[in-house]
Amino acid sequence: MPRVRRCRQPGCHVMVKLPDHYCTKHYAHEAEYLASRQKWTRSGDRTTTHKYNTVTRYRTYDKQEQYQFYRGKQWQSLRQLVLDRDHYVCQYCGRPNSNVADHIVPIEYDQQGMADVSNLATICRSCHYAKTQWEQKYYGTGNGNTLKDVEPITDTNMIVLMMNGGV
């Protein structure tokens, strides 16, 4: 007996022989589905990974230096030191079990604070995403932006207020 599966069309319960994904009634969606899967299969491809690591991450000399720093033993020990210091609690919202160490003042803006423990804080993923968005507006960090001449903010409470639009 051949191997079968259900049609991928929502609500359709017709059994389809492998390797097809859709029944004869919905077969028009097969090519679209295979094309969408192809996008994800190339993500682990060696050429794609190589291009990302050598072109995207190394846009400039500063980016190359930052990438090498984050891959090194110094960052790993600093990160663990900060997580232990903050007891894995997000310093922005107080969420427990946060496991991301983040620079309070981004190193793209101030290279001097790269290995400074006082410039690091534990942060949860959702706050890290919001803070990155805020940094792009306030400091002008990120790809395609130009750095602004603003006063660096080192107080996490003030950053939370500014992230939430309070100041």
Side-chain angles (χ1 to χ4, degrees):
M1 180 170 201
R3 291 182 31 176
V4 294
R5 72 171 115 213
R6 287 194 183 207
C7 176
R8 291 196 54 86
Q9 184 68 24
C12 183
H13 301 290
V14 175
M15 299 307 280
V16 179
K17 288 182 185 176
L18 288 173
D20 291 339
H21 297 89
Y22 290 91
C23 64
T24 54
K25 182 177 177 183
H26 302 109
Y27 197 76
H29 300 290
E30 184 82 18
E32 179 185 345
Y33 176 73
L34 291 175
S36 71
R37 285 187 47 155
Q38 194 66 18
K39 178 176 80 171
W40 299 109
T41 58
R42 293 197 47 83
S43 63
D45 187 14
R46 287 182 70 183
T47 56
T48 305
T49 305
H50 177 74
K51 179 178 183 273
Y52 178 74
N53 286 336
T54 58
V55 177
T56 307
R57 285 190 182 259
Y58 293 167
R59 290 188 295 270
T60 62
Y61 176 75
D62 292 338
K63 282 291 174 191
Q64 182 177 0
E65 188 178 316
Q66 289 173 19
Y67 182 59
Q68 292 300 331
F69 171 72
Y70 284 124
R71 293 188 66 186
K73 289 182 180 181
Q74 183 183 16
W75 170 249
Q76 295 303 319
S77 62
L78 284 171
R79 178 184 175 277
Q80 193 59 51
L81 183 72
V82 169
L83 293 174
D84 291 339
R85 178 194 69 192
D86 296 339
H87 304 290
Y88 291 84
V89 175
C90 178
Q91 299 300 299
Y92 296 88
C93 70
R95 182 176 294 149
N97 299 325
S98 301
N99 61 354
V100 178
D102 181 52
H103 287 90
I104 298 170
V105 176
I107 61 174
E108 192 173 339
Y109 183 77
D110 182 18
Q111 290 273 326
Q112 304 307 103
M114 185 182 290
D116 185 11
V117 177
S118 63
N119 188 35
L120 293 169
T122 302
I123 189 169
C124 66
R125 287 182 180 216
S126 58
C127 287
H128 188 260
Y129 177 77
K131 184 173 177 281
T132 302
Q133 301 298 314
W134 173 79
E135 285 173 350
Q136 289 175 351
K137 292 177 190 159
Y138 184 77
Y139 292 111
T141 59
N143 191 17
N145 292 340
T146 55
L147 293 177
K148 299 176 183 176
D149 187 25
V150 293
E151 189 67 30
I153 300 172
T154 57
D155 182 24
T156 55
N157 294 326
M158 183 63 124
I159 293 173
V160 170
L161 285 174
M162 294 180 81
M163 281 181 358
N164 296 327
V167 176

